[in-house]
Amino acid sequence: MAITNYLVLAMILFALGTTTVLLRRNAIIAFMGIEVMLNATNLALVTFARIHGDLTGQVLAFFVMVVAAAEVVVGLAIIVTIFRSRRTASVDDANRLAG
Amino acid sequence: MFGASLAPWVIVVPLLSATLLLLAGRRADRWGHWLAVAASGACLLGGAVMVTGMWRADPAARQALVSWPTSGVAWISAGDLRVPLELRVDQLSVTFVLLVTFVGFLIHLYSVSYMAHDPDRRRFFAYLNLFVAAMLLLVLSDSFVLLFVGWEGVGLASYLLIGFWDRVPANATAGKKAFVMNRIGDMGLLAAMALLFAQGHGLGFGPVLAGASGLGEGTATAVGLCLLLAACGKSAQVPLQAWLGDAMAGPTPVSALIHAATMVTAGVYLVVRSHAIFEAAPAAQLVVAIVGAITLLYGAVVGCAKDDIKKTLAASTMSQIGYMMLAAGLGPIGYAFAIFHLVTHGFFKAGLFLGAGSVMHAMGDSTDMRRFGGLSRLLPVTYVTMGLGWLAILGIPPLSGFWSKDRIIEAAFTGVGLRPWVFGLAALLGAGVTAFYMTRLFFMTFLGRRRFDDDVHPAEGSWLMRLPMIILAAGSVALGWLLTLGGGITGWLAPVLGEPQHQEPVIAAPALLAATLTLVLLGGLLAWWRYLRSAVPVEAPPGNLAVRAARADLYQDNFNETLVAVPGRWLTRGLVRSERGVDGAFGGLGRGVAGAGERLRRVQNGYVRTYAATAIGGLLVLTAIVLSLIGRG
């Protein structure tokens, strides 16, 4: 199996994640979309590391995971707080920061 | 030190009294005027101590500088400019101090009775004290800056007192007119100070006047003309003369003190004090003399046609100050005579004004001389005191006006070429016209048929009003002669103004004296013919062109209106229009930016998904650019 297939898979996953973020109103689902995008990026990084025989990409993937974990904690906390105060998890309802 | 250290106190005491009276409000209504009189009396005492001390001191030690709080402390310190608070006590300034405090004290006394029924008497006295303080600061200061403070102070007091009865709009307008016209003169003083400061001698009188001969003639002329402009504003000289007639809207004691005896002579003081500058600039000095000559005739002509007793006296003041200016412009020969005439004029004109006040007091505040007549029996004290003032201003020997005015006429006739004839004849003619209008005033008021209504019962005021008039009348009689005793005022002032070198006039002095007296007599006879021998109509006759012009102050207001006010308004309107243009440009720019912002604001719609789409769109665009660049490279 050609190694480029991993890249194609990464692209498909990234596109799916993006679409999810752009189209879904539920904050949890949009958040999942972001996670999918991050994992797609990780997959691409690992694949490139394999192609070039270089560990830099794999190390970078670890960093992304750490940052993603932290981001999940913060993001979920925000979503839960918004849900508590507004009884909704729709991202379109939290539009009070309009200019 | 001959009591020179009293100098700051004669300024501080009336200033404190004025402050107290203004702050105390209605609580001080019952005793406020006596406090003001006491403050003014204290000033007179201080002035007298200084003068006698100076008189007794060794002639070489008669000048002193008094620094406050101590010497070496600067009041204003900015870069090269250092102005200490220093007062100059010398023969010239104490002469003024004595004049201001003496006449001021008498007028304070007079006002106690004159203003007795005015609900705002306390405020009036506060302003009078403020005036005395500012005037003393003006004459005692040792630098142009400190003089300017006093200069503005007397201007303020003058403004407040002209418009004292400001419930009548005309009075308030008169005050404003005086204030605005004085501002024009003040600009001259400021410009003169700036020019002098640029010469690097600072602004103290000592260094500036000592370095005056080192000024280039151009600079000296410019400074001299600026100082003259200031003097014209303060002393109501042509071309800034228009305010003095209207200033008569103020209470009469004010007219006597400020607009006759003291403040309006400040211009003469300024010119005489800075005589070193004018000596370095013969052209400016000549202009001073020309202004004086024009004003003395101008005032005299206006005085001939006025039926308002105070306005006649105001015109006469203008004319007499014209004499002083003329003398000050004649050079070293005239300075002392200018001050001499200033002092004697201060006495007889203040006396005349107080007499006019007494007449008005008796006639229910009427000032129309055509409705007076025959008051000599009813107001005997006013009649005699004003009569003495009248003879003094005419220059009848041996009254005070004779001694001072005759010397100015004599000095005006000295020199070479056309000059003595022009100035001399102007002064001589002025004396004749003065005799006409002053005699007219006197006859119309006190002699002839009674022309007032039957329900007016004129009576003299209280002794508080009579006493100052009597003292001033005594001064009008004796002061001129007293000031010529033992070297006289000329010798007294010589250390400050320089020794006047005697020059022979182009006409022999006795002939001049005879000519002056003849003209005075002729003027008086003409007035007698017109206003005593023939009946005075109660309604003013229409008069010929010249009379109508003089009644309208020789159209000074029309002149100012057309030449200054109308172009000024045009300029303002033009500026308003051009400002609209500038405003429009910048306003448009502002509105454009605001509109653009308004449109950009809509991008920030608060929807997270829109932001995400924008971010991804941007990412795609960037990727496309990067890829295309790689593809080409």
Side-chain angles (χ1 to χ4, degrees), chain B residues 415-426:
Chain B
V416 286
L418 200 60
R419 199 182 140 128
W421 294 102
V422 174
F423 292 143
L425 287 177

Side-chain angles (χ1 to χ4, degrees), chain A residues 14 18 21-25 37 91-92 94-95 97-99, chain B residues 601-602 604-614 616 619:
Chain A
F14 193 87
T18 310
V21 170
L22 290 184
L23 296 184
R24 297 302 293 264
R25 287 194 183 80
M37 285 162 75
V91 288
D92 282 3
N95 63 350
L97 273 176
Chain B
R601 197 169 69 89
R602 300 218 184 102
Q604 301 278 330
N605 58 6
Y607 290 108
V608 178
R609 296 190 300 148
T610 317
Y611 300 161
T614 316
I616 289 161
L619 183 69

Side-chain angles (χ1 to χ4, degrees), chain B residues 348-403:
Chain B
F348 61 67
K349 187 53 67 63
L352 285 167
F353 260 113
L354 293 190
S358 170
V359 170
M360 285 165 62
H361 193 73
M363 303 295 289
D365 283 336
S366 162
T367 55
D368 187 1
M369 293 193 291
R370 290 189 181 276
R371 292 183 182 277
F372 293 167
L375 290 174
S376 56
R377 290 274 177 76
L378 298 165
L379 307 172
V381 178
T382 313
Y383 171 60
V384 172
T385 54
M386 261 189 112
L388 292 172
W390 161 61
L391 293 174
I393 195 174
L394 254 57
I396 304 289
L399 279 77
S400 65
F402 161 74
W403 301 94

